Amino acid sequence: MPEGPTNQSSTSKSAVTELDALVIGAGFSGLYQLLCLRDRLGMNVRVVEAGDGVGGTWYWNRYPGARCDSESHSYSYYFSKELLEEWEWSERYPQHPEIVRYLNYVADKFDLKRDIQFETRVTAARYDAEANKWNIETEGGDRFRVTYLVTAVGCLSSTNTPKFPGLESFKGKVYHTGQWPHDGVDFTGKRVGQIGTGSTGIQAAPVIAAQAKEHKIFQRTANYSVPANNHPLSDEFKKYVKENHEEIREIIQSTPNGHPFRISDRNVFDVDDAERAKIYEEFWDVGGLRFRASFQDIVFDKKANDTAAEFIKNKIRSIVKDPKTAALLTDIDHPYSTKRPPIDTGYFETFNRDNVELVDVKTNPIKEITPNGVMLENGEEYELDIIVLATGFDAMTGPLLNIDIQGRDGLPLREVWDGGPKTYLGLQVAGFPNMFTITGPGSPSVLCNMPVAIEQHVEWVTDCISDLREQGIATIETTEDSMEKWRVHVNEAAHATLMPFARGTWYWGANVPGKPRVFMPYAGGMTRYRLICKNVRENGYEGFKLSGVADAPPPAFIPAGDFTLAATVPGPGV
Ligand code: N01
């Protein structure tokens, strides 16, 4: 298996670099945060990035079939009219290389790379209360001393490799989809085993199967998927996008999940069975995440959800020719969309190929990896040349906890989050002044089209730092009480949906053994969340403690407000 990035520079202690701010990560978040702090606020900023190029999650996730599940014209920055006019996506759902090209284009256009230090992995960040500075160390021995620390580490950047006994003994090659070799993998003539059928596995399987000699797909939990209906964008659509940025922006910034379409306000049982079937057919043909927008109550009402679930299962049965395989694929244990709903290009059709076999590892789990392949509990062994681990991520908290972050009095973040992540708005942790977590746990993040969530967070952090500097405020720091109020609200938001029906997902931290079971993203919808953050700022940073400089008295502390879900902005997204 390829190693993650390592810093190539010397390990000797280097001089300390003093900056206004350090941003960790050069993905969508880090690039925009750099631009905002450097060019809008005139700050001295550096981004440090483990990879040797920009892209963040997209730098590492180069597996076959890697494609974004958000529609390209919404999977873009919306802060620059010029950028929107210049850039043109080629497909409805952009492939990995096109997204990386886009991010490089952005980095070059705004001259960002000169302030990004590549191949540099942050290992520690410690707050020095006396100096009100963050001291940051990297694997290669670089040291930084900064006033503001912004983590832009991504939600899905720390891979999850299950501890299969014997994995190291395998004589063939093992690849994790989240650490894919940059020069690709040739499956020609190979016997390939793929473990995992989440969004990644569902994208990868058809592409691997088309090349491999044999492709065994080990499925533990069956999953829904809706066809992406991907296609090249027509000139007409490209023209529409170029001429209607404002309208598209208005939609993505005012829908709960940040996608470029409105969710229907009709309920499943507002229409009769025949009409409902017709609507589902239409949305199935449109494809992608729009399917879920066909009725507003699919993610809130179990009976409504059952109708969508049954529709998809019937589609699977109609596609997959072998009844036994179809039965395994439709033996789904959760309501539709309570796990992150995948979208696909020919996933279920792949099981009609002669070289593909679905292996049930729910009733007959993987016992071990042998030198020759995968052995199941019943002793059955699958001989393989390549194992592809599409086993996901230590999501949301993993990338932050991999860094030794210590706040006031050496308080480790690992200790504060021992029982699960605690944040206020997903933006800050009590005891960690002037540290901001872009798309941190407790924010809409992964339940929203990510660039939309990222732009909102980056702009809020930028406004916040601007306010602090203008008003001579030395520190902003949330409180235990604010985090507790927010925790209650995040929990309430999740329980207002059907999400608790699928507690075995990475949303709950359930995919990593020993990880606390806490619903991590905020399911109250991006629209509501945006409003809450706006109000927090307008109310003088409600729920945060602000400390004055020198002898000036600190500004008054306004406790965190009441985040009741009574305001009716419908819930979650991706
Ligand atoms: O990971 P996952 P993913 N034995 O955790 C299986 C985003 N994404 O990489 O369900 C056998 O969803 C596991 O089985 P189970 C998106 O947000 C975005 O697919 O735990 N199987 C499951 O099938 C997505 O949600 C895009 O029973 C084991 C799979 O591995 C997130 O990334 C594209 C196992 C892991 O599924 C993560 O998706 C792709 C074991 N011991 C992904 N351990 C975009 O378009 C795990 N599994 C932007």
Side-chain angles (χ1 to χ4, degrees), residues 65 67-71 91-94 202-203 225-232 283-291 341-349:
R67 189 184 285 287
C68 183
D69 288 347
S70 294
E71 294 178 31
E91 291 181 276
R92 180 178 181 190
Y93 297 100
I202 281 176
Q203 285 187 337
S225 183
V226 170
N229 189 8
N230 184 45
H231 49 73
F283 277 83
W284 180 266
D285 289 343
V286 170
L289 295 168
R290 289 185 190 241
F291 180 82
I343 66 173
D344 70 274
T345 302
Y347 177 63
F348 295 113
E349 290 81 352

Side-chain angles (χ1 to χ4, degrees), residues 58 63 67-69 156 162 164 195-201 203 220-221 339-340 361 366 390-393 506 511:
W58 292 105
Y63 58 87
R67 189 184 285 287
C68 183
D69 288 347
L156 299 164
F164 294 115
I195 303 174
T197 53
S199 301
T200 301
Q203 285 187 337
R220 188 166 64 182
T221 305
K339 281 190 166 192
R340 202 297 207 145
V361 294
I366 295 171
T391 47
F393 302 91
W506 62 261
N511 62 329

Side-chain angles (χ1 to χ4, degrees), residues 509-550:
N511 62 329
V512 176
K515 191 165 170 171
R517 299 285 179 99
V518 173
F519 191 82
M520 293 185 287
Y522 174 60
M526 191 64 208
T527 328
R528 187 194 332 249
Y529 178 80
R530 188 184 292 278
L531 191 64
I532 291 171
C533 290
K534 183 170 170 282
N535 290 344
V536 163
R537 178 177 179 225
E538 284 174 4
N539 292 340
Y541 293 100
E542 204 177 338
F544 290 97
K545 281 204 156 127
L546 307 175
S547 72
V549 281

Side-chain angles (χ1 to χ4, degrees), residues 61 169 223:
N61 281 268
S169 74
N223 222 333

Side-chain angles (χ1 to χ4, degrees), residues 186-229:
D186 185 4
F187 296 104
T188 312
K190 304 288 188 204
R191 297 165 303 171
V192 182
Q194 170 188 323
I195 303 174
T197 53
S199 301
T200 301
I202 281 176
Q203 285 187 337
V207 184
I208 297 174
Q211 203 184 46
K213 183 170 149 216
E214 290 173 16
H215 192 27
K216 310 287 181 202
I217 300 170
F218 297 91
Q219 171 188 279
R220 188 166 64 182
T221 305
N223 222 333
Y224 302 93
S225 183
V226 170
N229 189 8

